[in-house]
């Protein structure tokens, strides 16, 4: 399970990838709780952790930055387990599915998703685009903010107990400079 603030991952976005038993989400007190489940009745054995949690925790930050590859992997598991009926529309394949970083590769391994299935889906996945800002771009964005708004943001950063506020402001800056993130191909 991963908990992500709803303001950084909208429940309606995650719902597109909801795959019932394999991936589900529920909103609770301003957070979206995502549950990934992989159970194979034939060779099920209890995992004691073995470093799994530590290896997939970075997925939370990736989700907050708008990387939906982990959500798609949850849906892909449901397809592999034949829990998706033929009439169900496949969700958008997110950019970069063919280039799984370590946390995503560990999630795929933990969920026991067939690597050929991932490779097949990745054929329709566009390349990921860099959504970070250089110091120069960030300086320009800050300079263009009206003074009152800039002061308000600074005061919020210094006084707020919200640990996600820097990520929220960073995402806003990226959106203002780069525009809305490219949407994955339509379902």
């Amino acid at each position: 399970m991963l908990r992500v603030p709803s303001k950084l991952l909208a429940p309606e976005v995650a719902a597109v990838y909801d795959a019932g038993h394999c991936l589900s989400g529920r909103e609770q007190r301003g957070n979206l709780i995502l549950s990934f489940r992989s159970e194979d009745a034939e060779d099920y054995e209890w995992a004691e952790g073995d470093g799994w949690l530590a290896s997939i925790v970075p997925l939370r930050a990736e989700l907050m930055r708008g990387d939906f590859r982990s959500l798609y992997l949850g849906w892909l598991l449901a397809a592999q387990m034949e829990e998706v009926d033929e009439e169900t529309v496949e969700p958008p394949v997110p950019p970069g599915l063919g280039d799984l970083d370590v946390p995503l590769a560990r999630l795929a391994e933990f969920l026991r998703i067939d690597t050929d299935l991932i490779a097949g889906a990745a054929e329709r996945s566009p390349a990921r685009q860099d959504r970070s800002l250089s110091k120069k771009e960030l300086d320009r964005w800050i300079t263009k903010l009206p003074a009152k708004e800039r002061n308000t943001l600074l005061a919020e950063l210094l006084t707020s107990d919200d640990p996600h506020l820097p990520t929220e402001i960073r995402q806003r800056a990226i959106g203002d400079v780069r525009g809305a993130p490219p949407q994955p191909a339509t379902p």
Side-chain angles (χ1 to χ4, degrees):
M1 296 177 90
L2 295 172
R3 183 183 69 184
V4 180
S6 298
K7 62 186 173 184
L8 294 173
L9 176 60
E12 54 274 10
V13 171
V16 171
Y17 297 93
D18 192 311
H21 182 74
C22 294
L23 170 63
S24 60
R26 72 179 193 283
E27 199 168 4
Q28 184 177 24
R29 289 181 273 168
N31 292 297
L32 182 61
I33 311 298
L34 297 168
S35 298
F36 293 87
R37 289 194 177 102
S38 175
E39 297 175 10
D40 188 347
E42 293 178 20
D43 66 343
Y44 182 77
E45 60 183 70
W46 182 257
E48 288 295 330
D50 301 325
W52 287 108
L53 183 59
S55 66
I56 62 174
V57 163
L59 295 176
R60 183 174 179 271
E62 291 178 15
L63 283 164
M64 289 191 293
R65 286 192 298 267
D67 184 344
F68 304 141
R69 293 178 294 170
S70 59
L71 299 177
Y72 186 83
L73 288 176
W75 185 89
L76 205 55
L77 174 62
Q80 175 179 299
M81 301 299 290
E82 299 179 358
E83 292 184 7
V84 177
D85 61 44
E86 291 182 20
E87 291 79 39
T88 300
V89 177
E90 179 180 358
V93 180
L97 191 64
D99 184 28
L100 300 183
D101 56 15
V102 172
L104 285 164
R106 289 288 286 173
L107 177 65
E109 182 183 348
F110 179 74
L111 295 175
R112 294 173 275 178
I113 302 172
D114 187 310
T115 54
D116 290 336
L117 186 61
I118 296 171
E123 290 176 4
R124 296 186 327 266
S125 175
R128 287 185 72 200
Q129 296 178 347
D130 183 16
R131 299 281 300 162
S132 61
L133 294 178
S134 68
K135 170 108 170 69
K136 188 176 183 178
E137 290 172 314
L138 191 55
D139 288 344
R140 259 186 275 156
W141 178 77
I142 292 169
T143 303
K144 287 182 180 180
L145 286 174
K148 185 176 180 178
E149 185 176 5
R150 190 172 45 240
N151 292 343
T152 301
L153 285 175
L154 182 58
E156 278 184 68
L157 278 170
L158 295 174
T159 60
S160 176
D161 291 334
D162 182 355
H164 306 295
L165 186 59
T167 302
E168 189 177 348
I169 293 171
R170 187 177 306 111
Q171 291 305 86
R172 177 183 163 198
I174 291 169
D176 288 351
V177 172
R178 301 245 190 270
Q183 296 301 308
T186 56

